[in-house]
Amino acid sequence: TERTYIMVKPDGVRRGLTGEVIGRIERKGFRIVAMKKMLIPQSLAETHYGEHKGKPFFEGLVRFITSGPVVAMVVEGPGVIAEMRRLMGATRPWEAAPGTIRADFATTVDENIIHGSDGPESAAREIGLFFKPEEILS
Ligand code: GTP
Ligand code: MG
């Protein structure tokens, strides 16, 4: 079955929205096969967001994602990579469709509640960055 890497970002955790996000994933019918609350080390943050290195928002992005605990997850189900991107909504919350997580709970592009892998290669890469194989229980 397909798997993706999902993370409630520090703003979501601070605002008490972890349960809301988990609830939406579970009610959709996807399975959370790994989960942990953690502080992301600086080096892991820079690797995770490596594709954005050099962009003007990169430093702020790394500072934000390391600013407090995140809840990291591996989520499994048919078409889960694309479907989680749909449930999350667009990167800029004002462009996200109503009913999506970012439209319902976020106002700014810097603090947009949730991360989800954007394709099969990034899903495999990000799951490997955050979880050991034995931490994934399917
Ligand atoms: P992630 O799930 O966090 O990877 O978001 P995404 O895939 O929807 O967007 P992308 O990977 O392109 O960007 C990663 C993060 O960088 C976004 O979630 C934003 O918080 C931030 N970001 C992206 N583009 C911009 C931008 O133009 N300005 C600012 N300030 N932040 C941006
Ligand atoms: Mg992305």
Side-chain angles (χ1 to χ4, degrees), residues 9 48-49 51-52 55 57 61 64 85 88-92 102 109-112 114-118:
K9 296 183 180 182
H48 171 72
Y49 278 129
E51 63 171 302
H52 299 299
K55 294 183 187 172
F57 58 85
L61 178 59
F64 164 64
R85 295 287 293 187
M88 286 160 54
T91 307
R92 302 163 205 286
R102 284 166 168 172
V109 66
D110 319 87
E111 305 203 355
N112 57 11
I114 183 171
H115 166 81
S117 307
D118 62 11

